[in-house]
Amino acid sequence: MYRQTIDPVFGSLAWSALLALVPIAALFVFLGVFRTKAWVASWGSLAVAALVAVLGYGMPTGQAVLAAGQGAAFGLFPLAWTLVAAIWIHSMTVHSGHFDVLCHSFAAVSKDQRIQAIIIAFCFGSLLEGLAGQGTPVAITTVMLVGGGFRPMRAAAVALVANTVPAAFGPLGLPITTLAKVSDLPMADLGAMAGRQVPIIAVFVPLLVVGIADGRRGVRQTWFPALACGVSYGLTQFVTSNYISVPLADISSALVSACVVTVVVRAQHVRRSPAPAPSVIAHPDTPQASASPLPVTSGVRTEVWRAYAPYLAIVSIFVFSQWKPVADALNSATVTFPWPGLHLLTSGGEPSTLPMFKFNWLAATGTLLLISGLATMVVLHIPPRVAVTALAETLGRLRGPITTISGLLALSFVMNASGQTMVLGTWLAGTGGAFVVISPILGWLGVALTGSDTSSNALFGALQVTAADKAGLPATLLTAANASGGVVGKMISLQNLTIAAAATGMHGAEGDLFRRMFRWSVLLLAGMCLIVFLQTTRVLGWMTVH
């Protein structure tokens, strides 16, 4: 049995908090200074956290190991289970050739490269983030933009900016699922609250996309489609996360906004002149890219609908799973049990809820995705052999990310179980009302260094709720702000910068990309901090989930 204490180091809260910062600092040093692989950083930081827990906080070694085991298990289920199923579906569409059909259908909407930037980088990128995440949207959309005539630096910048607002809910709600687990707050409330913060920023991101693609002229000439895209995306994200299903927030928003842009562009087709040539809008300090336009599909309409079928199947199955009789049937198979051997008491001497493990194998997002994958096999006529090959390739590609996720969740669980997170939260609560602004900054910093909103939520979720409670601030609001603040750190994360540079052949240009994206990231962060602050006042207080 281990009981958490508020001041285990020299009887001082400040010294205890300083020691609790060591595992987080170790993670940042591994990633930012030594530039180790992500899985090495996560497991190395876990070892540091375990040493702090045992030597500094007096936690029995066995309890620390069991807490790490519970975290690693949560990383495998439901997180890795969801990730594997999502990318498996995407891999099958690539094998069948329908992914190319989908890309061509996007390019056929308009020859204006600025509109293509919106549809490919923002709409389609959001769809990929909602399904797969892990840098997949940046890698794919950057290559597509370069193929459409954008120079590498400009293409990378557009893709990075676009891959912001979907990060709070993708892939398939994993960041919110993780946040709910580590903070012990209802997932529905956290998803709804994030859905009342991120959509405000979403309105402006397509405008920023066209601004980066073509400067002020791009905004002046394409502001209406960009604004229509942002507004439709934000509204759909709000409605879906609050009233339908948190895991579907990105997917539904991406599909709706893409449809809206298509309708608006076609309605303006007669009056809209094409965008300038790539040699004009491309960035002058990068090599000339191919000026050939994106290919336009000449296939039959049936193939286009089949290309969209996997995503429509996912939406339909998830919506159907929310119907109360179906939801009750799925949840009836859920098993909740205390993690064997892990016995924790809170600082108040009450049994802790941290050791409880929820195994919702039938209602899990990954299981619903598996069903969607089987439907995809039928609709796209994918033979079982091809599906198995795609699954094997997916597992091979995800070995690193799965190991990283398990390590980060194990790190988070050790810090939570030993009380390190509680001590940090109590210490930060000393900032009082100023913590309202600090809250989204923590999320931003976490994503900037780990590259994942899920990882950031795992690290800081429990800290946010502790600090909010101690400071007398709304816990759901500020805990959700960790996810919301994290989205604007996505564009400067080491992971995404590396992926964007590699996808465009600009090896070693990560520093140039960072300098180019940093000001936009800070600007959007300031906007998010303002939103969260106003939601604690009468101005926007009516938006807060209670």
Side-chain angles (χ1 to χ4, degrees):
M1 182 70 70
Y2 171 70
R3 178 173 176 174
Q4 298 174 345
T5 54
I6 197 68
D7 52 0
V9 182
F10 306 136
S12 167
L13 175 63
W15 279 109
S16 301
L18 186 63
L19 185 61
L21 282 172
V22 172
I24 298 175
L27 179 64
F28 293 165
V29 169
F30 276 123
L31 289 172
V33 178
F34 297 121
R35 296 196 174 188
T36 63
K37 293 182 178 180
W39 73 267
V40 174
S42 62
W43 287 88
S45 301
L46 167 62
V48 175
L51 288 174
V52 170
V54 173
L55 301 180
Y57 278 62
M59 188 178 195
T61 302
Q63 294 294 290
V65 172
L66 288 169
Q70 184 189 8
F74 184 76
L76 294 175
F77 184 93
L79 302 190
W81 173 227
T82 300
L83 189 61
V84 168
I87 297 186
W88 173 57
I89 294 175
H90 170 69
S91 297
M92 286 194 293
T93 65
V94 172
H95 274 274
S96 69
H98 286 87
F99 178 73
D100 290 334
V101 175
L102 190 67
C103 296
H104 295 168
S105 72
F106 290 152
V109 173
S110 173
K111 294 181 180 180
D112 190 322
Q113 288 186 320
R114 298 161 300 187
I115 301 300
Q116 291 177 4
I118 295 174
I119 294 176
I120 294 173
F122 186 75
C123 299
F124 187 52
S126 295
L127 183 64
L128 291 174
E129 182 69 32
L131 285 171
Q134 297 296 322
T136 302
V138 173
I140 293 176
T141 60
T142 300
V143 172
M144 291 171 67
L145 290 172
V146 171
F150 282 87
R151 287 187 173 181
M153 184 64 73
R154 186 66 57 98
V158 168
L160 288 167
V161 167
N163 186 226
T164 50
V165 290
F169 298 100
L172 274 302
L174 287 187
I176 304 299
T177 301
T178 304
L179 191 60
K181 176 62 179 178
V182 300
S183 66
D184 203 25
L185 292 174
M187 175 182 171
D189 290 350
L190 292 171
M193 191 65 248
R196 303 180 188 194
Q197 296 169 339
V198 178
I200 300 175
I201 296 294
V203 172
F204 302 99
V205 171
L207 290 168
L208 185 55
V209 166
V210 297
I212 292 177
D214 193 25
R216 294 182 179 179
R217 177 177 55 181
V219 176
R220 186 174 66 252
Q221 295 180 354
T222 60
W223 69 268
F224 186 69
L227 187 61
C229 177
V231 170
S232 61
Y233 187 98
L235 285 174
T236 307
Q237 194 177 55
F238 162 72
V239 171
T240 306
S241 60
N242 277 263
Y243 304 112
I244 302 176
S245 170
V246 171
L248 285 179
D250 285 344
I251 296 175
S252 59
S253 302
L255 294 174
V256 169
S257 59
C259 291
V260 168
V261 173
T262 301
V263 171
V264 170
V265 169
R266 288 181 176 175
Q268 293 184 328
H269 179 69
V270 176
R271 295 179 292 121
R272 179 69 60 193
S273 58
S279 59
V280 176
I281 69 170
H283 198 262
D285 61 358
T286 53
Q288 177 68 48
S290 169
S292 59
L294 285 172
V296 179
T297 180
S298 59
V300 295
R301 187 169 300 182
T302 301
E303 288 303 307
V304 175
W305 279 110
R306 290 176 65 195
Y308 283 93
Y311 312 104
L312 297 176
I314 292 172
V315 172
S316 301
I317 289 171
F318 272 84
V319 170
F320 182 65
S321 70
Q322 302 302 308
W323 184 36
K324 192 175 186 306
V326 177
D328 291 343
L330 294 173
N331 290 324
S332 65
T334 298
V335 178
T336 302
F337 57 91
W339 194 254
L342 185 59
H343 305 294
L344 305 175
L345 295 177
T346 66
S347 58
E350 300 294 327
S352 173
T353 60
L354 289 175
M356 299 305 295
F357 191 88
K358 184 178 181 181
F359 186 59
N360 57 337
W361 64 275
L362 190 56
T365 299
T367 304
L368 298 178
L369 281 174
L370 175 63
I371 298 172
S372 303
L374 297 175
T376 298
M377 291 176 60
V378 174
V379 174
L380 300 186
H381 301 158
I382 297 176
R385 177 181 55 81
V386 174
V388 171
T389 299
L391 178 59
E393 291 177 355
T394 298
L395 291 171
R397 289 168 50 196
L398 293 181
R399 283 180 299 180
I402 290 173
T403 305
T404 301
I405 290 172
S406 294
L408 285 170
L409 266 296
L411 164 65
S412 172
F413 273 56
V414 169
M415 292 189 66
N416 292 344
S418 64
Q420 295 175 56
T421 302
M422 176 197 65
V423 170
L424 276 174
T426 304
W427 180 61
L428 285 173
T431 59
F435 188 70
V436 172
V437 177
I438 296 174
S439 180
I441 293 176
L442 283 175
W444 173 79
L445 182 64
V447 173
L449 289 163
T450 67
S452 166
D453 213 25
T454 300
S455 301
S456 177
N457 290 345
L459 285 174
F460 298 131
L463 184 155
Q464 296 274 10
V465 72
T466 300
D469 286 340
K470 297 290 184 181
L473 298 168
T476 300
L477 168 64
L478 298 190
T479 306
N482 194 86
S484 301
V487 302
V488 295
K490 194 82 168 176
M491 68 178 75
I492 59 169
S493 71
L494 180 62
Q495 171 183 295
N496 268 11
L497 292 173
T498 302
I499 290 173
T504 54
M506 298 187 301
H507 301 288
E510 292 86 354
D512 294 334
L513 270 176
F514 176 82
R515 288 188 291 272
R516 184 170 184 143
M517 308 312 300
F518 184 75
R519 58 171 177 164
W520 298 117
S521 182
V522 171
L523 178 64
L524 291 176
L525 175 63
M528 184 59 71
C529 290
L530 179 61
I531 291 168
V532 174
F533 169 73
L534 292 177
Q535 287 178 335
T536 63
T537 69
R538 293 182 178 181
V539 179
L540 295 180
W542 51 272
M543 298 176 66
T544 304
V545 175
H546 299 287

